[in-house]
Amino acid sequence: MSAAARPATVGDVVPVHVGIIMDGNGRWAAARGLPRALGHKAGAEAARRAIEAAAEAGIGWLTLFAFSSENWRRPADEVRDLTGLMRLYLRSEVKTLVREGIRLRIIGERERFGPDLVRAIDAAEAMTAEGRRLNLNVALSYGGRAEIVAAAKRALELGLDPAALDEAAFGRLLSTDGMPDPDLIIRTSGEQRLSNFLLWQSAYAEFVFQDVLWPDYEARHLAEAIGEFARRERRYGVRVA
């Protein structure tokens, strides 16, 4: 856990940091006889609703799993549609993020998207850097195992003394350096697995799995997940009398 991490304590109603594995775009489209691209477009609308709902709920950090490192294996036309949607989102939503006080940061291997999209990402991050209402992280070309391996390589490159390499020092080598660890991880569509999302950071997270397909996700679904989180007793390995 990074030095900035502060897990929610027992009795907190709203988690500090929520991560969402946004799953079900393809199945949503297939159920309606629509192209997968329209499922991803509907998923982007759901992401907008989730961001607004998180800000309204007082959540300080929201991380959305938008594109995994494994997604590059999908058909070329679907990857093209996804990256085109990302480009459109960056162009159309940045002013709204600035107006709403939302800071955008991208974690993952952004370089794989090419120089044009990297420039758009860099510009969006710079324009929203003063946002304080909500810290929005979007995981693009992200994989938890790859992140851990990259951090280990970085430790070797820096010549860090193994005796001095504790969890806090290692956490500073991750892409989430300076961010609190997630208190709550949500996955939609009924699937119940992490799929390589924030493996290091989610060590003490609570998990809520919801049956709703991501394009149908509404503020009430987030409220239900937060309500479930609030009912959990979090001990972090400590026995409570």
Side-chain angles (χ1 to χ4, degrees), residues 44-107:
E45 294 295 327
R48 183 182 290 111
R49 294 193 297 270
I51 293 165
E52 180 179 349
E56 288 293 326
I59 292 167
W61 298 77
L62 177 67
T63 299
L64 302 178
F65 199 10
F67 191 95
S68 75
S69 52
E70 290 80 14
N71 286 159
W72 291 106
R73 302 173 190 165
R74 293 187 177 186
D77 58 343
E78 184 176 358
V79 172
R80 185 171 57 250
D81 290 338
L82 280 167
T83 54
L85 188 60
M86 293 174 203
R87 187 176 290 105
L88 176 63
Y89 184 89
L90 287 169
R91 185 168 61 245
S92 64
E93 295 296 320
V94 169
K95 289 183 179 179
T96 300
L97 296 178
V98 172
R99 185 173 64 250
E100 296 296 327
I102 298 172
R103 181 180 183 180
L104 174 67
R105 280 183 275 194
I106 304 299
I107 61 173

Side-chain angles (χ1 to χ4, degrees), residues 183-195:
D183 305 298
L184 171 63
I185 300 287
I186 299 168
R187 181 168 186 148
T188 62
S189 86
E191 301 291 350
Q192 299 187 22
R193 56 182 179 271
L194 265 181
S195 293

Side-chain angles (χ1 to χ4, degrees), residues 143-153 170 174 199-201:
R145 286 184 173 180
E147 180 187 31
I148 293 169
V149 169
K153 289 180 177 178
F170 191 81
L174 298 170
L199 297 181
W200 173 278
Q201 298 87 343

Side-chain angles (χ1 to χ4, degrees), residues 5-233:
R6 189 199 70 80
T9 58
V10 174
D12 280 354
V13 175
V14 178
V16 174
H17 184 176
V18 175
I20 304 181
I21 303 171
M22 306 180 294
D23 193 19
N25 292 348
R27 277 169 283 172
W28 183 90
R32 290 160 176 76
L34 300 173
R36 289 180 69 89
L38 292 184
H40 295 311
K41 186 176 184 296
E45 294 295 327
R48 183 182 290 111
R49 294 193 297 270
I51 293 165
E52 180 179 349
E56 288 293 326
I59 292 167
W61 298 77
L62 177 67
T63 299
L64 302 178
F65 199 10
F67 191 95
S68 75
S69 52
E70 290 80 14
N71 286 159
W72 291 106
R73 302 173 190 165
R74 293 187 177 186
D77 58 343
E78 184 176 358
V79 172
R80 185 171 57 250
D81 290 338
L82 280 167
T83 54
L85 188 60
M86 293 174 203
R87 187 176 290 105
L88 176 63
Y89 184 89
L90 287 169
R91 185 168 61 245
S92 64
E93 295 296 320
V94 169
K95 289 183 179 179
T96 300
L97 296 178
V98 172
R99 185 173 64 250
E100 296 296 327
I102 298 172
R103 181 180 183 180
L104 174 67
R105 280 183 275 194
I106 304 299
I107 61 173
E109 301 172 303
R110 66 180 70 188
E111 296 78 11
R112 293 192 65 177
F113 290 102
D116 289 345
L117 191 50
V118 168
R119 282 193 291 270
I121 290 171
D122 291 343
E125 288 181 329
M127 290 177 65
T128 62
E130 299 303 315
R132 295 293 181 268
R133 185 178 177 217
L134 173 68
N135 292 280
L136 172 63
N137 308 313
V138 179
L140 296 177
S141 190
Y142 173 87
R145 286 184 173 180
E147 180 187 31
I148 293 169
V149 169
K153 289 180 177 178
R154 181 64 175 154
L156 292 172
E157 291 169 356
L158 293 172
L160 297 182
D161 179 2
L165 188 59
D166 57 13
E167 291 183 13
F170 191 81
R172 288 192 289 272
L173 301 173
L174 298 170
S175 61
T176 53
D177 177 34
M179 304 179 190
D181 290 339
D183 305 298
L184 171 63
I185 300 287
I186 299 168
R187 181 168 186 148
T188 62
S189 86
E191 301 291 350
Q192 299 187 22
R193 56 182 179 271
L194 265 181
S195 293
N196 208 14
F197 179 57
L198 297 180
L199 297 181
W200 173 278
Q201 298 87 343
S202 63
Y204 287 100
E206 297 293 325
F207 296 88
V208 173
F209 301 104
Q210 298 177 294
D211 288 334
V212 59
L213 297 176
W214 179 248
D216 291 326
Y217 206 78
E218 302 283 351
R220 64 182 177 87
H221 296 108
L222 181 61
E224 289 167 3
I226 293 172
E228 175 62 28
F229 171 84
R231 289 188 290 273
R232 307 264 179 100
E233 182 181 28

